[in-house]
């Protein structure tokens, strides 16, 4: 009948619009960063816990407003073979960039070592990555001299990691530390040193793990 086709067409457009809104709200369409396509959406409870626990000696830990995938960085493992953050997924990581020419870095290294000794294990690891690009024998020698025994030696003698982390965290200096969950999502960033083995530091890591003690 004349006039019926426009009505049906209009109804079809309306139905498609409703379907589009439903899909957008469910996160099944591109552009909806709060939905299923957001790879770190499940980290929201951990973000809230980290934000609440960032106080005292670790008050400078900046919990992100929304977790995001950690940068895909590659570096040398303890055995000298190339590894990366993706290879270390499955546990909470405290990724720390340090250098022997950075006095604050060296000052906090014993605390990172104690943190690893106290609660490091299958659920948590400190990943301290040395970024020296010269005199490559100096960093492991300094660690031995300083009595650092529980931290595995990771290094980036090629100088690839530092600029990537600086861009990702907007942190121009050292030390820079990232808290990365077991799924590889960045929860927070610390710009500068901290007393990581203090009660506040331990409480922060346990909060990120969802532990009460």
């Amino acid at each position: 009948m004349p006039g019926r086709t426009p009505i049906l067409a209009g109804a079809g457009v309306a139905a498609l619009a409703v379907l589009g809104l439903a899909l957008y709200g469910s996160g099944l369409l591109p552009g909806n960063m709060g939905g299923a396509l957001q790879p770190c959406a499940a980290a929201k409870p951990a973000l809230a816990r980290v934000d609440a626990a960032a106080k005292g000696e670790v008050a400078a830990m900046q919990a992100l407003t929304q977790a995001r995938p950690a940068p895909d960085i590659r570096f040398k493992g303890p055995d000298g073979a190339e590894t990366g953050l993706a290879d270390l997924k499955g546990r909470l990581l405290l990724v720390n960039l340090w250098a022997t020419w950075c006095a604050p870095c060296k000052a906090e290294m014993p605390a990172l070592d104690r943190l690893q000794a106290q609660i490091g294990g299958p659920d948590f690891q400190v990943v301290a990555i040395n970024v020296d690009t010269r005199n490559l024998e100096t960093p492991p020698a300094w660690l031995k001299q300083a009595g650092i025994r529980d931290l595995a030696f990771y290094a980036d003698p090629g100088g690839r990691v530092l600029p990537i982390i600086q861009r990702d965290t907007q942190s121009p200096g050292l030390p820079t530390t990232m808290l990365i969950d077991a799924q590889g999502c960045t929860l927070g960033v610390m710009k500068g040193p901290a007393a990581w083995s203090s009660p506040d530091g331990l409480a922060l890591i346990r909060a990120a793990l969802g532990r009460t003690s």
Side-chain angles (χ1 to χ4, degrees):
M1 295 176 59
R4 187 172 181 179
T5 300
I7 293 174
L8 291 174
V13 170
L16 287 173
V18 170
L19 177 60
L21 287 173
L23 288 172
Y24 187 87
S26 69
L28 296 177
L29 287 180
N32 183 10
M33 296 304 293
L37 292 185
Q38 219 295 26
C40 294
K44 189 174 181 179
L47 280 177
R49 296 195 303 269
V50 169
D51 188 49
K55 55 188 177 182
E57 298 287 354
V58 290
M61 172 61 73
Q62 301 170 0
L64 304 188
T65 54
Q66 180 172 290
R68 62 173 180 263
D72 182 21
I73 55 175
R74 306 292 295 175
F75 43 89
K76 300 291 185 182
D79 59 357
E82 185 169 282
T83 187
L85 292 185
D87 301 311
L88 299 173
K89 283 175 66 174
R91 69 183 72 181
L92 180 72
L93 302 176
L94 191 69
V95 179
N96 174 271
L97 267 57
W98 70 283
T100 56
W101 43 261
C102 167
C105 298
K106 293 193 291 185
E108 77 169 348
M109 201 58 59
L112 286 168
D113 192 50
R114 289 191 296 269
L115 177 65
Q116 175 65 27
Q118 290 181 54
I119 59 175
D123 297 326
F124 170 71
Q125 181 182 357
V126 177
V127 182
I129 306 172
N130 177 263
V131 296
D132 284 60
T133 56
R134 298 180 179 180
N135 303 316
L136 300 183
E137 72 285 350
T138 300
W142 180 84
L143 289 174
K144 184 176 180 180
Q145 180 184 3
I148 306 301
R149 299 183 179 88
D150 289 282
L151 293 180
F153 182 63
Y154 294 96
D156 177 41
R160 300 172 297 174
V161 168
L162 184 57
I164 294 173
I165 296 300
Q166 286 177 329
R167 287 194 300 269
D168 185 78
T169 63
Q170 299 298 302
S171 178
L174 289 177
T176 294
T177 307
M178 304 169 67
L179 189 60
I180 301 172
D181 73 8
Q183 285 70 49
C185 298
T186 302
L187 302 177
V189 175
M190 173 80 77
K191 301 176 183 179
W196 291 107
S197 59
S198 66
D200 292 327
L202 293 168
L204 176 68
I205 300 303
R206 288 175 178 137
L209 288 167
R211 297 179 184 173
T212 56
S213 61

